Structure formats: structure tokens, C-alpha cells
Amino acid sequence: MNKILQEIFEQYKVNFDKLKQYGFTLDSNQYKYSTLIVNNQMRLTIFVNLNGEVETEVFDLECEEVYTIFLAEGATGVFIGEVKKEYEKTLIDIRNNCFDKTVFKSNYTTMLANYIKGKYGDELEFLWEKSPNNAVCRRKDNKKWYCAFLKTKAKSIGLNGDYFVEVIDFMENPEIIPNIIDNVNYFPAYHMNKKYWLTIRLDGCTLDIKKIFEHIDTSYSLANKKPVKNRD
């Protein structure tokens, strides 16, 4: 995903019903929409896969080739500026009509939040003004955290890259934690005590969602025991 796409669709989640209403059609495993821009000189095609990830292609109809120079860092020129302006305008219109504002985009995050609300009646609590993308769930009886939903840089959990990932932190039995960390789905706890807490990356997660439900249930139970230090 290029930088423009990241900036436009950050904190937005696709609504597939709205996509279809807008004119997107399902082609194989992705939704597709094309329109002409820059006085019909360019064809802009937007692809949205079933995970809600957006990609685009700008095709120069006169030269019959894909046009990408406007995406290059520092690219200038009147025509490049026109392409970029109409590209952004079209994408913003699609975002405003087909995407819903949200802090978390991962389908796993949505399913887990719904599971917690349905089973325990707890909502995500956004406690920090300076960290508006981070939320926790607390037991009603003792107000202890049993999971946290966070957006953080990939490098914060040991991955390469400066992009953001969505994770869930939860408590687990200390003897289990070292045996399941694989640095793919399971990571040492981010921003929490690594002896008692564990992190799962939610965007791109390959775990069965029911397995994460089990982790939440365990964490909920552990949060009813003696206090556990939250930070390293």
C-alpha cells in the first residue's frame, strides 16, 4: 500500500454493502471499481480484497502502460500534480461513501470485541487521551485488565518495518508462554510484564478465532487472582 492510501484509509474499515452500492463488482477474491480521471486520459482502478485492504492502478490510456511516477517521493510537475489531485479526490470520495470510521480495522479485532461484549458484557475502554488508539477490557467486579487492544509500530513487537500493526495483549499461565511464542502470531508481551502477558498480532493472524477466545477466557479468569504487575 502506497503512502497516499495509508493516509486516506488509516482508521477506516470497509463496508462491503456500501462498496456494492457505489458500483464495485466482485471479481475473483476482490472488489473492483474503475473510473476515468484527468480529462479521460487515465483509468484509475481501485481493488479492495476480502480483508478490506485497498490497492490501486493508474493506467495511461494513450501510452497503454501503468502510470506510477506521481507516487514517487518528491515527484513534481503540473501534470503529475493533476493526476495526484484527482487520484486523492476519488479515493477520499470512495472512503467517505464506502468505509466506516474506526480505530481498529482487523476483522479479528471486531470479532474479539463482540465476543467480549457478548460473554462478559465489557466494552473496549479508551483510557488515554495521548494514546487514542489503545483500549483495554476490565472485569466489572475488581476493575482489573484482562486484555488490551493496541496499535503499535511493527518494530515494537520485533518485526521489521515502520508500519502499524494491531495486537491484543492478554494474561496467560507463565509456564505456557515460552512454548507458544513463534514471532508470527504469538509475540512476547508488548508494553506488559512478559512473564504473565502475551501478545497476538491480529492483522494477518492465522490462528483460529476460537483459540483466541480461549485465551481471553483464561485471561479473564487469571484477572480474578492476585494482582499482576502490568508493566515490565
Side-chain angles (χ1 to χ4, degrees):
M1 180 181 289
N2 65 58
K3 187 176 180 180
I4 295 175
L5 288 177
Q6 288 178 328
E7 292 177 349
I8 290 176
F9 292 99
E10 179 71 20
Q11 297 191 355
Y12 282 84
K13 183 180 178 67
V14 65
N15 184 315
F16 290 107
D17 289 334
K18 291 180 180 180
L19 274 187
K20 289 182 282 188
Q21 292 172 11
Y22 193 89
F24 279 79
T25 56
L26 185 60
D27 182 8
S28 185
N29 291 322
Q30 62 185 354
Y31 284 86
K32 178 180 177 181
Y33 176 82
S34 293
T35 186
L36 298 178
I37 61 174
V38 195
N39 296 320
N40 299 333
Q41 297 178 67
M42 301 282 182
R43 182 178 65 236
L44 168 59
T45 304
I46 300 94
F47 306 93
V48 183
N49 67 25
L50 299 182
N51 292 321
E53 298 165 336
V54 183
E55 294 294 342
T56 59
E57 178 188 87
V58 176
F59 190 82
D60 188 324
L61 296 173
E62 182 177 346
C63 297
E64 297 186 344
E65 62 183 13
V66 175
Y67 184 81
T68 60
I69 190 171
F70 74 101
L71 296 173
E73 192 74 26
T76 60
V78 175
F79 185 73
I80 288 174
E82 291 178 2
V83 174
K84 186 175 181 180
K85 180 179 178 180
E86 293 198 29
Y87 177 82
E88 292 176 341
K89 180 180 178 181
T90 303
L91 292 175
I92 289 171
D93 187 67
I94 290 172
R95 182 199 69 188
N96 292 343
N97 284 281
C98 305
F99 286 69
D100 300 322
K101 188 84 164 70
T102 181
V103 172
F104 300 109
K105 296 175 65 176
S106 166
N107 290 330
Y108 270 54
T109 306
T110 300
M111 288 188 286
L112 295 174
N114 289 338
Y115 175 79
I116 289 168
K117 182 177 180 180
K119 184 163 185 177
Y120 300 113
D122 297 327
E123 302 273 3
L124 271 61
E125 298 182 60
F126 295 86
L127 302 178
W128 304 282
E129 183 177 345
K130 293 183 178 181
S131 301
N133 295 329
N134 296 335
V136 301
C137 292
R138 298 187 287 186
R139 290 182 62 115
K140 289 184 174 63
D141 51 4
N142 59 17
K143 301 301 180 183
K144 291 181 184 177
W145 302 2
Y146 58 91
C147 65
F149 292 87
L150 312 163
K151 292 185 73 171
T152 185
K153 290 290 185 68
K155 61 185 179 183
S156 297
I157 61 172
L159 297 172
N160 293 324
D162 203 38
Y163 56 93
F164 281 90
V165 294
E166 294 179 21
V167 303
I168 181 174
D169 283 356
F170 55 89
M171 282 186 283
E172 186 52 271
N173 292 303
E175 63 272 16
I176 292 176
I177 291 175
N179 298 321
I180 61 175
I181 290 176
D182 57 12
N183 294 308
V184 177
N185 291 309
Y186 294 101
F187 296 83
Y190 166 68
H191 210 57
M192 306 292 273
N193 188 315
K194 292 176 172 55
K195 181 177 179 179
Y196 300 101
W197 290 76
L198 191 62
T199 289
I200 289 178
R201 178 183 177 181
L202 295 177
D203 53 324
C205 184
T206 60
L207 296 172
D208 188 322
I209 190 66
K210 292 180 181 178
K211 183 62 180 178
I212 309 180
F213 291 164
E214 292 175 5
H215 285 306
I216 289 175
D217 292 339
T218 297
S219 189
Y220 185 86
S221 177
L222 290 171
N224 195 36
K225 297 182 179 180
K226 64 181 181 180
V228 174
K229 184 179 179 182
N230 284 335
R231 293 180 181 271
D232 293 334

